[in-house]
Amino acid sequence: MQCSYLDAGTCRSCTLMGTPYPRQVEAKEGRCRELLGEQPQLRWLPAVRSAESGYRNKAKMVVGGTARRPTLGILDAGGRGVDLRRCGVCTPGIRAALPVIARSIARAGLEPYDVPSRRGELKNVLVTESPTGELMVRFVLRSRQQLGALRRELQQLRRELPQAVVVTANLLPEHRAVVEGETEVPLTERTTLRMPMGAVDLDLRPQSFFQTNSPVARALYAQVAEWVDEAAPASAWDLYCGVGGFALHCAAPGRRVTGVEVSAEAVESARSAARAAGLQDVEFLAGDATRFALDAAEAPDLVVVNPPRRGIGAELRQWLERSRVRHVVYSSCNPATLAADLAAMPSLRPVRARVLDMFPQTEHVEVVTLLERAG
């Protein structure tokens, strides 16, 4: 993949750009195998590869420049905006939408937030594309001051960008190195983006986490569902369930499935998707995954975990090690913490593993592992 931004030294986010893609995947597989170690019972399945470009379904663009000539991309060392609206790892739908959004910002007179002086209103624009081509567009503002201007511009924006079915304003008043704030102001009637993922359609709300590579996410859900069906548990938990992707794909007649997620908004998305799919014996709870496990009266037959980069932590891995859970499916975006967690659970042996390249051109990788209790 060729990138004019990298060639010009404008952006260096894609650290593997220039390395042939097959070599990228081989290196990621090698690193995961090395971290998990040689284990006679462990079988590695062929890696799931991605398109080299146009794969990223979410763009997090910092807004710079001026209200008349905004930039969408990153900030340089001096806090000035660097435009990356033609970024090649974003989906074609997002790349086509960004110039339209930039024109909309200019028409509305939304003043970009200037980091050095801490003045201005519009901080970021977040755009997510569904596999259907529909878009969620979120304007991250410092205050409500320019909400009126954004509302007045909304009709014209949607005329030029009819795919934008969900549009919101997110409020981030603090001067912090974060992408979004806690308050979301819906500007359209629709507030969820439908994400078809093969067997199940997921619902994505503005502040809910979703994998950034839709085709590879679909393969991940299918792989986990296959392993779960082979294990045939009567009960299963999906911890750190997000919008319920694993839980919904693992649901089956006669199988009790419980998803647990700290984000109440993500839980509402999961419940909505379960209702739409007519799934029975599936429930979703808002709360801390570790606390839920420690307080449970009994353990399920199988647990799926999909933690953040830090891993599942000492308390949950100790609980899993001592529990009667027969199988664990561990999906990880950080193979180093995965290896550390597995080393602390020697009774749960990895028997299958698979690398899924969610993030071409970068060092990041997703690896999913099926664990089986020894004895």
Side-chain angles (χ1 to χ4, degrees):
M1 176 183 170
Q2 190 74 18
C3 176
S4 59
Y5 298 124
L6 179 71
D7 294 342
T10 303
C11 175
R12 300 188 181 279
S13 299
C14 294
T15 56
L16 296 183
M17 192 80 74
T19 302
Y21 185 59
R23 283 176 49 194
Q24 293 183 29
V25 178
E26 289 169 9
K28 292 178 183 184
E29 280 192 293
R31 180 158 55 94
C32 291
R33 286 173 180 261
E34 181 181 359
L35 285 167
L36 267 62
E38 292 297 328
Q39 303 188 53
Q41 80 284 350
L42 175 56
R43 180 163 68 93
W44 286 87
L45 302 180
V48 174
R49 298 189 178 193
S50 168
E52 296 182 41
S53 62
Y55 67 84
R56 189 174 178 88
N57 62 23
K58 183 172 185 177
K60 302 177 181 180
M61 296 295 189
V62 180
V63 182
T66 65
R68 295 184 66 182
R69 299 187 65 181
T71 61
L72 302 179
I74 58 176
L75 301 180
D76 65 15
R80 295 177 295 272
V82 176
D83 199 90
L84 300 177
R85 70 182 74 177
R86 299 189 311 277
C87 175
V89 299
C90 293
T91 62
I94 289 177
R95 291 201 302 273
L98 291 176
V100 181
I101 294 169
R103 291 197 300 270
S104 189
I105 291 169
R107 281 195 303 266
L110 302 178
E111 191 67 33
Y113 182 72
D114 181 71
V115 172
S117 68
R118 303 192 181 188
R119 293 181 178 177
E121 285 295 316
L122 182 58
K123 295 185 173 183
N124 305 307
V125 169
L126 313 178
V127 186
T128 304
E129 185 179 27
S130 165
T132 66
E134 292 183 332
L135 298 172
M136 177 187 295
V137 181
R138 303 168 63 207
F139 296 87
V140 181
L141 301 170
R142 184 167 71 157
S143 72
R144 296 177 180 270
Q145 181 177 320
Q146 292 195 301
L147 265 178
L150 187 53
R151 284 195 171 101
R152 288 189 293 273
E153 169 58 23
L154 181 62
Q155 187 174 4
Q156 181 62 29
L157 169 63
R158 297 191 70 191
R159 272 198 292 265
E160 295 186 15
L161 193 64
Q163 310 95 296
V165 297
V166 179
V167 183
T168 72
N170 176 275
L171 301 182
L172 177 60
E174 303 89 355
H175 182 83
R176 293 191 295 146
V178 295
V179 175
E180 61 190 81
E182 297 180 1
T183 302
E184 204 81 25
V185 181
L187 301 177
T188 51
E189 184 177 350
R190 275 185 59 178
T191 57
T192 62
L193 192 65
R194 184 58 58 89
M195 306 290 286
M197 284 288 118
V200 180
D201 287 359
L202 305 180
D203 279 346
L204 186 64
R205 296 179 184 231
Q207 296 190 40
S208 301
F209 167 80
F210 189 75
Q211 302 283 3
T212 59
N213 189 320
S214 296
V216 179
R218 189 180 301 118
L220 173 62
Y221 292 137
Q223 180 62 81
V224 171
E226 179 183 320
W227 287 347
V228 171
D229 284 343
E230 288 177 4
S235 57
W237 293 348
D238 178 6
L239 304 183
Y240 313 95
C241 72
V243 296
F246 291 120
L248 295 168
H249 280 82
C250 294
R255 180 181 299 158
R256 302 186 313 278
V257 180
T258 302
V260 182
E261 165 61 41
V262 71
S263 167
E265 186 168 75
V267 166
E268 283 305 313
S269 295
R271 289 171 177 166
S272 174
R275 287 192 298 269
L279 295 175
Q280 304 297 318
D281 294 328
V282 180
E283 67 171 341
F284 293 96
L285 306 173
D288 178 75
T290 299
R291 190 77 263 154
F292 172 80
L294 296 180
D295 292 344
E298 59 180 345
D301 299 326
L302 181 145
V303 173
V304 179
V305 292
N306 183 31
R309 290 186 59 80
R310 65 179 180 270
I312 63 175
E315 285 188 295
L316 183 53
R317 65 194 186 196
Q318 288 169 11
W319 182 88
L320 285 168
E321 173 66 14
R322 295 194 304 263
S323 74
R324 295 184 179 181
V325 173
R326 296 298 306 166
H327 293 90
V328 173
V329 179
Y330 193 137
S331 183
S332 171
C333 61
N334 186 347
T337 55
L338 167 65
D341 284 337
L342 298 192
M345 300 186 295
S347 295
L348 290 161
R349 303 179 305 169
V351 293
R352 312 260 185 86
R354 192 170 200 179
V355 166
L356 300 101
D357 192 22
M358 290 273 184
F359 320 99
Q361 316 305 335
T362 78
E363 299 281 356
H364 300 295
V365 65
E366 190 85 12
V367 58
V368 63
T369 308
L370 174 64
L371 312 178
E372 188 176 84
R373 189 166 297 282

